[in-house]
Every structure is written in structure tokens, then in C-alpha cells.
Amino acid sequence: MGLDDDALRAAIEAASPQPGFLALLQERCPYAFAAHPVFVSARQSARMTALVGAIESVVALPAYQDEVLKRAPAIARYQPGASGVFFGYDFHVSNTGLGLIEINTNAGGAMLNALLARAQRACCAAVQDLLPAAATVEAFESGIVAMFRNEWSLSGKTRPLRSIAIVDENPEAQYLYPEFLLFQQLFEAHGLRAIIAAPEALQLRDGVLYCGAEAIDLVYNRLTDFYFETEASAVLREAYLSDAAVVTPHPRAHALHADKRNLVLLSDPGHLRRLGVPESTQAVLLEHIPRTEIVTAANADHLWGERKRLFFKPFAGFGSRAAYRGDKLTRRVWQQIATGGYIAQVLVAPGERMLSEHDAAPALKFDLREYVYQGQVQWTAARLYQGQTTNFRTPGGGFAPVYETPDASLDTQGTAMPVDCGGVGCTTPEAH
């Protein structure tokens, strides 16, 4: 089982939002799609889902919100009606266990994964049932539109949603710009006007947000200026705080979910008890969230000594930028980390996906991403890569579909990936 290149081209051409889209995707995202799928057991999948539910239950606690928001910028304390779309819960799953690595609040790739799902082919009858049906993919895409309409309703709007702006800095230069085009096409296919814009293209006139002559009801926010602090985001910030437009995801969602310091609270039993988290929920969190602490002057020497078992990330990091495995750290980089603004997280090894039993092709690392809305998992995807972190620069790597098998033995064998899927000598999950 694997990616069918002809089927992928056909799926892309069928979904093309404009002439030349395939060429744009190949030029901009040459390693967006991995050649092989990733397999997880039903038990692993259930454990990830249970952890998502446990975290969402803690985030809903007033005590947790009070503690997190008191250290966040003031804008995060504004409470809009919208929940926030496309949370991304990222996991490492391997033969040493399952660990949540981080949570993102503007997780990209959902539309690319829908496209990828249409291009999968089974190479043997035993795994045919693992592939998602076309109706499943269509339901996922319809659910995306319903999610944005729900965000509109949650914000107290009674008339129908009419227009959406997909907003990012210099959007046409973004790596995932092709996905913006797919979102634009999806929205328009469901009767919504959709534009792609930079934040500085927005104007606020008479209490209404505009992009040119187009009135904007809702902003699908893809910015990494999470708290709208730059000059370019000034209009968006004002529109958000004045409720001139619905903005999703938004600063409050980022503060409550994606600030890496939250992992300190969620992985410490003393903090969890103090917040009033039930013991059963604590057990789920402590089993699957690696212990995390803030790097300070007081603990810097200790953390340097323990660095080989740690991973270091900035509080508001994204896309693996400025994130480092401790065993790869130089003294120069460590001096930057030790000045503050970083968390240290116990290292959880990523899973590995063997590509072949018959040659020396190196295994690729992978992580799993669960796209989540209001605590419900919408879709699960994998990202295959080589190097310290996911990078979409690895030949044969990129987004990969995730197929769930009922084989409980997969838990004791790590991810127990079938190898040679999509080629001669296919090995099914049951035969591995």
C-alpha cells in the first residue's frame, strides 16, 4: 500500500483551484507527500484520543485558565465566542512509548491530507479495508466548512456566514500557499466568498472589516504573530477586539493551548493536584506528556548536564524553528537558550518507518498529528522526515496517511510498520 503517483496527479488535477496548480505544488512543496503510509494500532489511537480529551478537560478549568492567562499578553484575556479551528496535537509514537510533543493552534496541512487520501491505493487485498472511503474524505471536507460556520454561530452571529479571508504574512510566498488555494476553492464550492490576503491588506471602516471592496465576516488566521503584536497586524487586532470580524484561531486559544509553558503544568503532578484535576485525568496526562520545565538561570547548569535526554523549544515556537535536541547542542546555542524563553522537555523518541527490507534505504522518522476541533479528532496524519525535526525537505518524506489496525501486538512492537508497501513484496500488518 502506498502513494499512487498517477492517482495523486489525477486527484490534484481534479481538485485544482486554478490552472498550473500541480506545477505550483510540485515547485513549492516538492516533498509534501510521503511515498508510504504509517500504521498505528487501535489501542494507540485510543490513547491519543483519550489524551486529547484529558487536556481539553483541564484547559476548561477556571483555575488553569487563571494561571495561564496571567502570564499571557493582555489580548489573550479577551474572550471571543469562537473556539478556534484546527488545533494540532503532535505525538511521537515508538517502541518506547507514546508522548505528546506539543499543541499548535494553527496547524497546517489538513487540505493537503484530504488530497493525499484520494491518492492512496492498496497493493494487496488484506489491507484494502484500511483505506478511507471517498465518502470519508468528502465528510472531512464538509466538516471543515461546518466548523467555520459553527465558529461564526458561536460568536453570536445570526445571519449566515458570507465571506472568509485566509490571512497570513506574504501568503503567496508561504510554503503552504497551495493549501490556501485549496481552502479558497473549498469555501467557494460551499457558497462562501473567499480571499487570500496579507494582514496589512485589511481595513476597518465603520465597524466592518474589509479587504479592498470585500466585506470580511471571518478571518481564518494562519499568522504566526499569535498575539497580533506587529504593525502589520494592527487592523486585525482592532477588528478582533471590537468584534468587527470573527477571527479563528485567536490569541486566547494560543495562550490556553499552544504556549509551550503549558506543558509544564500538564506534566507536573503537584501542579495538576493544585488545579483540582481528577486523579484519573492526571494519570492519563502524566503517562503521555513528557516531563517539561522552564529553563532558568537556577536550573541551567543542571539542564546542560542532562541535555542528552532533553529537547529544548521556545515558549511560542512553531514549525520546529529554534528547537534543538539536547545531544546536538553547541555551547554557543546553549548560551542563547540559557538566557530564557525556553522549555526543556524529556526526549521522546520518534517512531521510525522502514521503507524496504531489501536494500539499505534508511528508515524515516515520523510524528503523528491529530487535527482537533472542540476536543474532537477530525483527522490523523503523519509527517515523515530525516533530521532533528520535521522539515518537509526529505526525499520520500512529507505528509503520510495513517491507517489504524486492530492488531494489539503493534503496541508491544512499537509501530510495527509494514514494509515495502506499494511495491513488490508487500508485507501486511498481520504478517509483519
Side-chain angles (χ1 to χ4, degrees):
M1 185 196 312
L3 179 64
D4 185 312
D5 288 337
D6 291 336
L8 178 60
R9 282 192 293 271
I12 292 172
E13 289 171 357
S16 289
Q18 63 182 40
F21 178 76
L22 176 57
L24 173 66
L25 184 62
Q26 291 172 331
E27 182 272 329
R28 186 66 59 83
C29 312
Y31 305 122
F33 300 121
H36 296 272
V38 166
F39 296 83
V40 298
S41 73
R43 183 169 182 267
Q44 288 169 330
S45 180
R47 289 163 69 190
M48 289 188 289
T49 299
L51 181 59
V52 169
I55 292 173
E56 294 288 341
S57 72
V58 174
V59 171
L61 293 174
Y64 171 89
Q65 295 188 12
D66 288 346
E67 181 150 347
V68 168
L69 294 175
K70 70 184 180 184
R71 69 181 179 216
I75 194 173
R77 292 188 278 280
Y78 175 70
Q79 187 165 4
S83 296
V85 299
F86 287 127
F87 289 8
Y89 282 71
D90 294 344
F91 294 87
H92 279 176
V93 181
S94 73
N95 57 3
T96 60
L98 181 156
L100 177 78
I101 304 308
E102 62 187 27
I103 305 170
N104 298 288
T105 48
N106 60 355
M111 288 301 297
L112 293 179
N113 279 290
L115 195 62
L116 179 62
R118 300 182 191 278
Q120 297 300 309
R121 298 293 182 270
C123 57
C124 54
V127 293
Q128 179 64 48
D129 290 343
L130 298 180
L131 272 67
T136 301
V137 183
E138 291 168 3
F140 174 51
E141 292 177 336
S142 295
I144 290 172
V145 178
M147 172 176 65
F148 281 93
R149 286 187 166 133
N150 191 53
E151 291 287 273
W152 176 251
S153 297
L154 288 172
S155 300
K157 311 301 183 182
T158 55
R159 66 169 173 81
L161 176 64
R162 296 179 301 204
S163 60
I164 294 179
I166 303 161
V167 174
D168 202 354
E169 178 183 1
N170 194 9
E172 292 188 2
Q174 295 293 330
Y175 179 81
L176 288 180
Y177 175 65
E179 181 179 54
F180 296 173
L181 296 173
L182 292 172
F183 271 113
Q184 182 181 44
Q185 177 178 254
L186 177 68
F187 294 145
E188 291 180 345
H190 286 79
L192 301 170
R193 297 192 300 277
I195 62 171
I196 300 168
E200 59 267 28
L202 302 174
Q203 306 97 36
L204 194 58
R205 302 195 295 268
D206 299 324
V208 178
L209 186 66
Y210 286 89
C211 185
E214 185 71 55
I216 303 301
D217 287 342
L218 182 148
V219 172
Y220 173 25
N221 172 31
R222 294 288 292 250
L223 291 166
T224 53
D225 176 16
F226 300 116
Y227 298 115
F228 306 150
E229 295 173 310
T230 67
E231 183 178 350
S233 300
V235 170
L236 184 58
R237 177 189 181 95
E238 184 178 355
Y240 170 66
L241 291 174
S242 65
D243 199 29
V246 174
V247 179
T248 183
H250 46 68
R252 186 182 182 89
H254 179 83
L256 292 176
H257 287 83
D259 187 312
K260 304 297 186 292
R261 290 172 291 185
N262 298 344
L263 297 171
V264 177
L265 296 176
L266 295 170
S267 66
D268 182 85
H271 281 307
L272 294 173
R273 285 193 297 271
R274 179 168 49 79
L275 293 174
V277 178
E279 289 187 4
S280 58
T281 303
Q282 289 186 43
V284 175
L285 297 170
L286 296 175
E287 181 179 2
H288 298 308
I289 301 179
R291 186 64 181 264
T292 305
E293 56 186 309
I294 295 173
V295 179
T296 65
N299 65 14
D301 288 342
H302 169 72
L303 294 176
W304 172 256
E306 295 292 318
R307 67 189 182 280
K308 292 184 178 180
R309 66 178 189 88
L310 300 173
F311 204 100
F312 297 89
K313 300 177 184 179
F315 296 163
F318 62 93
S320 301
R321 296 184 185 183
Y324 304 96
R325 280 179 60 112
D327 58 355
K328 306 294 184 182
L329 276 180
T330 65
R331 275 285 187 179
R332 179 185 62 81
V333 173
W334 174 247
Q335 292 304 318
Q336 297 172 359
I337 292 173
T339 61
Y342 270 76
I343 55 110
Q345 184 181 60
V346 171
L347 185 65
V348 177
E352 291 193 340
R353 194 353 172 154
M354 291 178 58
L355 301 184
S356 175
E357 288 182 318
H358 308 302
D359 60 37
L364 295 183
K365 301 172 186 176
F366 72 88
D367 67 5
L368 299 179
R369 166 168 288 178
E370 292 203 324
Y371 294 92
V372 173
Y373 179 60
Q374 293 190 318
Q376 300 300 309
V377 176
Q378 301 161 291
W379 196 264
T380 303
R383 297 179 293 180
L384 292 168
Y385 64 98
Q386 289 177 332
Q388 289 193 52
T389 58
T390 53
N391 50 47
F392 293 100
R393 293 182 176 88
T394 303
F399 283 117
V402 176
Y403 299 132
E404 182 181 305
T405 77
D407 190 346
S409 68
L410 293 184
D411 271 347
T412 60
Q413 299 176 32
T415 48
M417 303 304 168
V419 296
D420 288 347
C421 288
V424 177
C426 169
T427 304
T428 68
E430 293 77 14
H432 183 85

